Amino acid sequence: MKERAFITLTNGFKDKLFRLAKRLLISNEEAEDATQEVLLKLWKNKTKMTEYKNVEAFAMTMTKNYCYDKLKAKETGNLKIVHSNYKDERPSLQRQVEAKDSLDWVGKIMNDLPEQQRMIIQLRDIEQYDNAEIADMLGINEVAVRVALSRGRKKIREELLKKHNYGVV
């Protein structure tokens, strides 16, 4: 595989790799490092890339594993969501504050989810992968993906409704 073909192939999914790494590692710098490491590993094994059915899914799995290894090395469990790129186009300041507050609560609620549910929600609802691709990436069957996704969404919805209705979570 030539350099130009590799760049063309990886340009389609390198932003997804970065977002997944940022979700897991929190830091922009560490996420960039993780993305570069994964792309470098892919480049070093470019002769084997034709053997993979879905290079993007393989790269996402590599990114997930690399990030987990980094987190284990740091011995930290501080996984949290940071939505710094959210924009609400409505002019109402109150709406903007309410939307930001809701996103913060969703992030806090997601942090309390089991790791597998959190990862499946990230891949399905944010990265827009289908259930079959997620099942391949995580090494589980599609039924388990659907069940975890349903339970995770239900938990987020229930806790968010509690917050909005009663002001406590």
Side-chain angles (χ1 to χ4, degrees):
M1 174 177 283
K2 300 283 183 198
E3 185 178 345
R4 189 172 301 277
F6 177 80
I7 291 171
T8 303
L9 175 68
T10 57
N11 273 345
F13 58 81
K14 72 179 180 181
D15 289 339
K16 290 181 181 180
L17 298 179
F18 173 78
R19 287 191 302 268
L20 178 63
K22 185 166 184 336
R23 174 68 49 136
L24 294 171
L25 299 175
I26 300 166
S27 165
N28 277 333
E29 292 80 16
E30 288 190 43
E32 288 171 2
D33 289 346
T35 304
Q36 287 178 356
E37 283 295 321
V38 169
L39 291 175
L40 185 62
K41 286 179 185 179
L42 285 174
W43 174 250
K44 286 180 181 177
N45 293 319
K46 63 184 177 261
T47 56
K48 297 179 183 178
M49 285 180 56
T50 56
E51 298 173 16
Y52 305 126
K53 283 193 261 182
N54 187 341
V55 177
E56 182 178 341
F58 180 69
M60 291 295 283
T61 302
M62 285 176 63
T63 302
K64 174 193 69 149
N65 292 337
Y66 180 85
C67 292
Y68 283 164
D69 289 344
K70 291 285 277 186
L71 290 170
K72 284 178 189 172
K74 286 184 173 183
E75 295 181 358
T76 181
N78 297 333
L79 298 180
K80 68 177 184 180
I81 299 174
V82 178
H83 287 282
S84 59
N85 61 346
Y86 179 77
K87 286 187 180 177
D88 189 356
E89 298 299 324
R90 298 181 185 186
S92 168
L93 181 59
Q94 181 178 357
R95 286 298 241 168
Q96 290 177 359
V97 171
E98 287 174 358
K100 172 111 176 68
D101 188 46
S102 290
L103 281 174
D104 290 343
W105 279 110
V106 168
K108 290 175 184 175
I109 294 165
M110 277 187 70
N111 284 339
D112 293 336
L113 292 176
E115 187 173 321
Q116 187 178 45
Q117 286 180 5
R118 190 171 47 237
M119 180 63 67
I120 290 171
I121 288 173
Q122 164 77 22
L123 293 171
R124 179 72 175 140
D125 292 340
I126 297 171
E127 301 300 339
Q128 302 294 311
Y129 284 105
D130 64 33
N131 291 351
E133 290 174 317
I134 295 170
D136 288 342
M137 283 183 228
L138 300 179
I140 57 178
N141 65 39
E142 279 188 68
V143 174
V145 170
R146 283 196 314 270
V147 168
L149 185 62
S150 175
R151 287 179 181 167
R153 286 175 176 167
K154 181 179 177 184
K155 179 71 172 173
I156 291 170
R157 183 174 44 253
E158 287 172 352
E159 294 298 319
L160 201 54
L161 283 173
K162 267 194 230 175
K163 172 63 181 154
H164 285 294
N165 291 336
Y166 305 112
V168 293
V169 174

